[in-house]
Amino acid sequence: MSAPGAPTLDIVRHARARRAKLSVDPASGRIRLTLPPRASVRDALRWAEQQQGWIDAQRARLPQAMPFVPGAELPFDDARLTIDWHEAASRRVERIGDLLRVGGPVERVPARVLAWLKREALRVLSDETAEFAARAGVTVSGVGIGDARTRWGSCASHGMIRYSWRLILAPRFVRRATVAHEVAHRVHMNHGPAFQALVAALDERDPAESRAWLRRHGAALHWFGRAS
């Protein structure tokens, strides 16, 4: 597990753990070894080495990395875009129908596509947050984006809402359901019955549909833009 090119092993102690446990993060591919508070790290690592077959099988099931390179396809707001690179074209990324036109040095293509996607994500999510906030009769102090692996959105008590920029890669109904969820937190900072009722009123579809989609496909969104 420590051979060149091998995946990183994260060792975590957990107060409630009763035995060593291995898991593979579907969003990052990192291996986690969870240990009880007083467990021997040496013994646990020896045991983990013996589970290499299981680890390999789990990693084989991970989504494939999909780098932002010329010719690559990526989902975008219910569409699929193809990265269309021409060195002599403008370095400013431009969407032309189902093409994402980008020029300049080919090695800069991934960074330029990523920057464009983040700008679009912030623009779209800001607009939709304002839309849902108006429906709910609340204010939002600001909208930001990040790239958290475990949360698609968060709402602070002072009114700032942050989203994963990768929501722009998800179907529109999933993205908008996430916005409805976070805006509802401007009224209820919990997940109680009143909160759930407000989410159901704001969401344009059954909220269970978007939750099911993210459980099934959400991890794959984290592999877009990765080289390996």
Side-chain angles (χ1 to χ4, degrees):
M1 294 176 68
S2 58
T8 302
L9 175 66
D10 298 325
I11 300 176
V12 179
R13 291 193 183 273
H14 196 288
R16 296 183 180 179
R18 296 188 176 182
R19 58 182 176 81
K21 179 182 178 182
L22 280 170
S23 59
V24 178
D25 185 345
S28 68
R30 295 174 71 92
I31 302 167
R32 170 174 288 195
L33 175 58
T34 303
L35 303 179
R38 295 182 177 84
S40 166
V41 173
R42 181 180 298 178
D43 291 346
L45 286 174
R46 188 179 301 116
W47 170 78
E49 290 279 1
Q50 298 170 358
Q51 311 307 313
Q52 190 62 54
W54 179 88
I55 292 171
D56 292 343
Q58 295 301 307
R59 287 183 57 80
R61 298 168 58 186
L62 293 172
Q64 290 187 338
M66 289 163 277
F68 296 144
V69 295
E73 288 190 0
L74 59 147
F76 180 85
D77 189 35
D78 286 349
R80 291 196 68 84
L81 305 181
T82 300
I83 299 175
D84 184 43
W85 172 74
H86 298 277
E87 187 173 9
S90 171
R91 299 187 181 189
R92 174 177 174 270
V93 179
E94 181 182 9
R95 179 181 178 180
I96 305 173
D98 291 335
L99 298 178
L100 206 55
R101 178 71 51 80
V102 58
V106 69
E107 62 270 17
R108 294 294 300 159
V109 169
R112 290 199 172 102
V113 170
L114 176 60
W116 183 85
L117 287 169
K118 288 182 175 181
R119 286 195 301 271
E120 286 297 295
L122 182 58
R123 178 184 65 80
V124 171
L125 288 163
S126 295
D127 289 347
E128 291 179 343
T129 298
E131 175 189 342
F132 279 97
R135 291 189 196 178
V138 298
T139 60
V140 173
S141 63
V143 174
I145 57 169
D147 195 15
R149 289 205 316 269
T150 58
R151 304 182 73 176
W152 297 105
S154 63
C155 178
S157 58
H158 54 71
M160 178 72 179
I161 295 179
R162 292 186 61 82
Y163 301 99
S164 167
W165 71 264
R166 295 178 186 274
L167 284 169
I168 202 67
L169 305 174
R172 183 175 303 183
F173 83 91
V174 174
R175 185 187 69 239
R176 290 178 65 83
T178 304
V179 174
H181 182 104
E182 298 307 329
V183 167
H185 276 311
R186 291 294 295 124
V187 181
H188 305 287
M189 290 298 289
N190 54 62
H191 290 93
F195 168 82
Q196 300 296 341
L198 180 56
V199 170
L202 291 174
D203 203 337
E204 294 146 338
R205 293 170 61 162
D206 183 350
E209 294 182 45
S210 60
R211 292 195 298 268
W213 192 96
L214 286 171
R215 283 194 301 270
R216 189 174 301 114
H217 305 291
L221 299 184
H222 290 277
W223 292 78
F224 281 96
R226 293 182 56 167
S228 62

